[in-house]
Amino acid sequence: MKSYFEQYRPFFAFLLRFFLVYVLLSVFYQSHLSTYPRFTPDVITSEVADESVTLLKWMNYRASVDRSPSEPSYLLKLEGENVARIIEGCNAVSVAILFVSFVVAFRGRTIHTILFIVGGIVVIHILNIIRIALLAAALLRFPEYEHLLHGVVFPLFIYGVVFLLWVVWVNRFSLYAGKKK
């Protein structure tokens, strides 16, 4: 009779890989953030803010961002009104770290893993810019629904896409997918 550990070894290996990658990437990212002076947004958040404004302008809105003087964030203005703050948590790096950790933990061929991670991060980044732009436009029109839009609808949007990417990974590219055939 197999021991409990032997019986569930693949599951424990998955958890170990997931947490190791997650902790490693999180520590690396936090050390990156710690290099910025107080009240200075990191470069990724800055790029996300600028790209969101570019998309909003493309959508025919008068949009701009100004650095906040009191915190490491940007104030997003739409049609002359402050509609949102873009903080470090809005840049989707934490979502990308979660995505990468899962893909690495649910192993696949190295080339597939690398390509899927790069492609997935690009998809997450683009969808995050779209998410911020649509959220800003919605908040301009419906500020009374801020909690619902910011706390429910738009997180479902980004995490739903990440979940779909994971499903594609597990069913098409992971080593597990090869065993099902």
Side-chain angles (χ1 to χ4, degrees):
M1 185 163 163
K2 289 184 175 182
S3 73
Y4 186 74
F5 180 76
E6 287 176 16
Q7 186 177 358
Y8 295 104
R9 186 179 205 159
F11 174 71
F12 290 127
F14 168 85
L15 285 179
L16 181 63
R17 280 190 304 271
F18 177 87
F19 285 114
L20 280 175
V21 172
Y22 186 81
V23 167
L24 185 69
L25 291 176
S26 295
V27 166
F28 175 75
Y29 182 56
Q30 288 304 315
S31 68
H32 164 74
L33 290 176
S34 71
T35 64
Y36 288 87
R38 189 172 181 205
F39 303 130
T40 303
D42 66 286
V43 67
I44 301 167
T45 303
S46 299
E47 286 299 316
V48 166
D50 291 340
E51 291 168 1
S52 298
V53 166
T54 300
L55 178 57
L56 284 161
K57 287 179 177 178
W58 184 77
M59 295 166 57
N60 292 321
Y61 283 100
R62 245 180 338 114
S64 65
V65 288
D66 296 315
R67 278 209 14 218
S68 170
S70 60
E71 63 181 359
S73 68
Y74 290 92
L75 302 174
L76 178 59
K77 286 186 177 185
L78 209 52
E79 304 302 326
E81 290 185 43
N82 282 332
V83 294
R85 282 180 318 130
I86 299 176
I87 62 172
E88 177 272 324
C90 299
N91 65 21
V93 170
S94 60
V95 175
I97 288 172
L98 191 65
F99 168 76
V100 170
S101 300
F102 181 88
V103 170
V104 170
F106 227 111
R107 299 181 315 167
R109 289 185 44 213
T110 303
I111 189 69
H112 289 159
T113 303
I114 292 167
L115 292 174
F116 199 81
I117 286 172
V118 170
I121 289 172
V122 168
V123 167
I124 290 167
H125 179 73
I126 291 169
L127 289 177
N128 188 51
I129 301 304
I130 293 168
R131 177 188 74 91
I132 291 170
L134 292 176
L135 178 59
L139 288 173
L140 179 68
R141 187 155 185 187
F142 306 106
E144 66 274 16
Y145 294 110
E146 177 182 0
H147 178 71
L148 177 66
L149 293 168
H150 184 265
V152 178
V153 174
F154 285 96
L156 279 174
F157 175 72
I158 197 81
Y159 285 110
V161 169
V162 170
F163 179 76
L164 290 175
L165 288 170
W166 286 342
V167 169
V168 169
W169 173 252
V170 169
N171 288 312
R172 301 261 307 150
F173 301 107
S174 73
L175 295 179
Y176 172 77
K179 291 179 183 177
K180 289 191 323 187
K181 292 179 180 179

